[in-house]
Amino acid sequence: MNHEHNQTKKHWEKIYREKDTTGEVSWYQDIPKTSIDLILSTGIDKNSSIIDVGGGDSKLADKLLGLGFKNVFVLDISSQALQKAKTRLGEKAKSVIWIETDILEFDTEYRFDIWHDRAAFHFLTRGEDIVRYVEIAGKFIKPGGYLIISTFSVNGPKKCSGLDITRYSKDSIKKTFQKDFSRVRGFEEAHITPFNTKQNFLFNLFKKK
């Protein structure tokens, strides 16, 4: 892990160590309804492989297990985040494959039917890192599989958790992924944070070519 990625890991470990993620972080959702709706809209079966990239201790994995999905993966750079999720899930945690890594260094023999990323990708601000992410997603998503990705929209905040982010328009994110993916849907949605502020997100459903 290079110096920059090491600093990123330290940043997220500190946040997950010091904050209560049900009320002290802006991205918290009790029910990740839009993500679930988009996953179900693809019509995949319950044996499909789904990875939540940058999932932290999001409740998406809980909901997917509750819906009967059998192959759920959660990837995050923070061991603290993953431990929180495992503790919350208890025995059910054994049904999830947990991956602690920087997404830019991710390598696996697995291939995924659905790759879900809510607000991890937009923390990449360097062109070469964005290109690397797109390559990794293109490599590990099965042909005909789906990429569900949400970022701050051009109407959203310029920073999150003390870090700069990259905001996207419908056109710019479509162009970013156009080599391997065609977009099925794209729409904006307001997320109400635990502090009762609004963050404007851009959700996208892409299909691997």
Side-chain angles (χ1 to χ4, degrees):
M1 188 178 289
N2 67 30
H3 174 73
E4 188 165 324
H5 295 172
N6 196 36
Q7 291 302 110
T8 302
K9 181 171 173 62
K10 283 183 180 176
H11 177 88
W12 290 112
E13 296 290 21
K14 184 172 190 289
I15 283 177
Y16 280 104
R17 188 170 56 247
E18 296 179 359
K19 291 185 183 289
D20 170 6
T21 39
T22 63
E24 294 184 326
V25 296
S26 64
W27 62 83
Y28 176 73
Q29 291 179 302
D30 190 47
I31 301 173
K33 185 178 185 309
T34 304
S35 294
I36 292 289
D37 287 348
L38 284 169
I39 289 168
L40 294 177
S41 78
T42 66
I44 60 163
D45 66 48
K46 297 299 166 65
N47 291 312
S48 300
S49 297
I50 304 174
I51 186 167
D52 189 13
V53 173
D57 70 342
S58 153
K59 290 190 176 177
L60 183 64
D62 313 42
K63 302 301 180 189
L64 291 171
L65 293 176
L67 288 166
F69 285 98
K70 308 272 193 308
N71 295 300
V72 177
F73 298 71
V74 177
L75 179 151
D76 204 275
I77 197 171
S78 167
S79 60
Q80 298 275 342
L82 297 178
Q83 190 53 54
K84 282 188 176 188
K86 289 178 192 176
T87 301
R88 187 186 67 246
L89 279 164
E91 276 296 303
K92 291 179 185 173
K94 294 175 183 173
S95 301
V96 176
I97 296 174
W98 306 94
I99 303 166
E100 182 191 332
T101 188
D102 184 325
I103 186 57
L104 297 178
E105 297 174 356
F106 182 39
D107 194 15
T108 182
E109 293 178 2
Y110 293 110
R111 296 296 181 267
F112 304 101
D113 296 286
I114 293 210
W115 175 295
H116 172 270
D117 177 338
R118 178 178 174 268
F121 173 67
H122 71 189
F123 282 105
L124 301 179
T125 55
R126 299 193 317 171
E128 60 263 43
D129 290 344
I130 292 167
V131 167
R132 174 82 181 130
Y133 181 107
V134 172
E135 286 175 351
I136 289 170
K139 181 178 180 182
F140 296 129
I141 298 173
K142 296 176 185 177
Y146 294 90
L147 166 68
I148 295 169
I149 196 155
S150 69
T151 67
F152 283 162
S153 77
V154 289
N155 299 310
K158 294 180 180 177
K159 282 180 175 278
C160 183
S161 302
L163 297 175
D164 289 332
I165 58 95
T166 303
R167 299 187 297 177
Y168 288 89
S169 67
K170 283 186 185 178
D171 281 346
S172 66
I173 201 157
K174 184 179 179 182
K175 284 176 184 169
T176 301
F177 287 93
Q178 68 185 359
K179 179 174 174 282
D180 290 323
F181 298 91
S182 53
R183 186 164 58 201
V184 181
R185 290 179 66 196
F187 57 91
E188 291 189 26
E189 183 174 279
H191 165 62
I192 309 299
T193 73
F195 326 120
N196 218 27
T197 58
K198 278 187 181 180
Q199 295 176 333
N200 213 49
F201 275 86
L202 175 66
F203 277 87
N204 301 272
L205 173 63
F206 289 96
K207 187 166 186 174
K208 176 87 179 294
K209 294 176 182 173

